[in-house]
Amino acid sequence: MLAFSVVAGALFVLAAEPLAPQEMVLRPPQFELARDLLERGEYDLVAQLCRRAVAMRPEDPRGHVLLGAAYLALGEPGRALLPYQRAALLDATLVEAHYGVAAAHAELAQLAAAIEAYQRVIDLRPEHAAAHHDLGVAQSRMKRYGVAMASFRRAIALDAAAARPHYSLGRALRERGRFDEAAASLARALTLDPNLVDALEVSGALHADAGRAEEAVHAFAKCVELAPDRAEAHYGLARAYVERDATALALSAFERAIELRPDYTEAYYGLARLHLSLGSEPEAQAAMERFELLRRTDPLLANAEPTATRLPDP
């Protein structure tokens, strides 16, 4: 991490002689340096410096945007929202501000507000491919798959080389039961980015649903290799191993999924069934009891089939 005194001097020109308060702000070249610091992961530092910048010159929207970006990068969307909103009020044409407002709302699961803000970005800059994609993600989270697919296709038309819109389209197509089209979109995403874990995971689920155990194992095994702490990947791999009658590997994968996510309801169910098939009744009973306890407290599973595959949000 860069020394605080060096960066503070570069950003605020505070080093040698005393400055008038109006000079103790981010100046245009230093805004670019602040952006560079964000890219380097110096989020706390940028937030600290930008707080001072917006206090000294609250009428400049750039400082608010950078402060919002720092908070969002720190995983604090609630704190990010206000500076982004202030920037949008100061300059209603500032695309970056509206995009930040949308992203913060999306992180807070305020999906209607996120959709409205993404649409504002698109109104200001229709060629903003990322806004079309992220709009589609928000629409998908509201289960509005038809309009989401239109948003993803627009993002692809604007930037066909980006892998994630192809993945997101494939995921939405799967949710609509259009499995062949979903497989084609996911294959395109993986051609563009063979290490896109989300696409590998959904592709693995498609293979598993179609009874293609070998292909499912391959996809989930690569997920685990790329994201070893991803519980869903281990769970998918366990299910694929069950279909291949690789019981020892399946047991290990179920147990790893539960180790990573102790409240993983479906993994306990899968583990219980596998133990039962092996004649390990005490282990099966223990896993089933844990499954039932978790299921009663999980509103998403209270009336769901326990074998259903739940995937993370795109």
Side-chain angles (χ1 to χ4, degrees):
M1 184 171 180
L2 297 176
F4 177 85
S5 59
V6 173
V7 179
L11 286 174
F12 288 96
V13 200
L14 297 175
E17 64 276 356
L19 297 174
Q22 64 269 23
E23 295 180 283
M24 297 169 62
V25 294
L26 286 166
R27 297 173 178 176
Q30 281 73 47
F31 279 110
E32 294 307 312
L33 178 56
R35 293 180 189 278
D36 183 57
L37 289 170
L38 278 173
E39 292 179 5
R40 296 186 203 179
E42 305 282 354
Y43 308 135
D44 283 308
L45 179 56
V46 174
Q48 183 175 350
L49 295 173
C50 287
R51 281 194 296 269
R52 188 168 186 177
V54 299
M56 294 295 179
R57 188 165 300 171
E59 73 279 5
D60 193 328
R62 293 170 297 178
H64 294 284
V65 165
L66 288 167
L67 181 57
Y71 284 145
L72 204 58
L74 287 166
E76 300 182 53
R79 296 183 75 186
L81 186 57
L82 184 57
Y84 277 132
Q85 289 173 327
R86 283 175 175 162
L89 286 172
L90 288 164
D91 184 352
T93 68
L94 190 58
V95 168
E96 200 173 6
H98 293 286
Y99 190 68
V101 168
H105 278 307
E107 286 294 317
L108 292 165
Q110 298 167 351
L111 299 178
I115 287 170
E116 183 180 351
Y118 282 129
Q119 192 58 63
R120 178 61 177 154
V121 173
I122 292 166
D123 290 342
L124 290 167
R125 190 179 297 169
E127 73 280 8
H128 198 305
H132 286 281
H133 171 262
D134 294 347
L135 172 63
V137 171
Q139 291 164 333
S140 288
R141 291 174 66 187
M142 296 185 76
K143 302 190 183 304
R144 296 169 55 188
Y145 296 115
V147 290
M149 287 190 288
S151 296
F152 295 140
R153 289 192 172 103
R154 181 59 180 152
I156 290 167
L158 290 166
D159 186 4
R164 187 155 286 276
H166 292 279
Y167 149 72
S168 297
L169 177 59
R171 184 188 173 99
L173 287 163
R174 179 183 182 240
E175 293 291 341
R176 293 294 292 267
R178 295 161 62 175
F179 302 122
D180 290 343
E181 294 172 83
S185 288
L186 292 165
R188 179 60 180 158
L190 290 169
T191 298
L192 293 166
D193 183 356
N195 295 330
L196 184 56
V197 173
D198 290 336
L200 285 165
E201 188 174 314
V202 180
S203 181
L206 271 177
H207 287 308
D209 292 343
R212 297 187 294 267
E214 209 57 52
E215 291 90 340
V217 166
H218 176 77
F220 284 120
K222 190 166 184 182
C223 281
V224 167
E225 177 187 346
L226 293 168
D229 293 335
R230 189 168 181 142
E232 294 81 6
H234 290 276
Y235 171 70
L237 184 58
R239 291 184 66 209
Y241 279 142
V242 168
E243 294 302 315
R244 266 186 50 189
D245 294 321
T247 55
L249 292 171
L251 280 172
S252 177
F254 276 132
E255 289 166 355
R256 180 59 179 151
I258 290 167
E259 181 183 350
L260 289 167
R261 207 175 99 192
D263 64 346
Y264 205 153
T265 312
E266 300 98 319
Y268 280 105
Y269 183 81
L271 183 61
R273 290 196 61 178
L274 184 55
H275 276 306
L276 193 61
S277 73
L278 296 172
S280 306
E281 293 188 10
E283 292 85 350
Q285 183 63 32
M288 185 58 74
E289 287 175 358
R290 182 63 177 160
F291 161 74
E292 292 292 352
L293 176 64
L294 290 168
R295 192 183 191 192
R296 286 195 296 271
T297 61
D298 187 342
L300 294 177
L301 283 176
N303 299 306
E305 288 296 323
T307 54
T309 301
R310 289 167 60 194
L311 295 171
D313 285 335

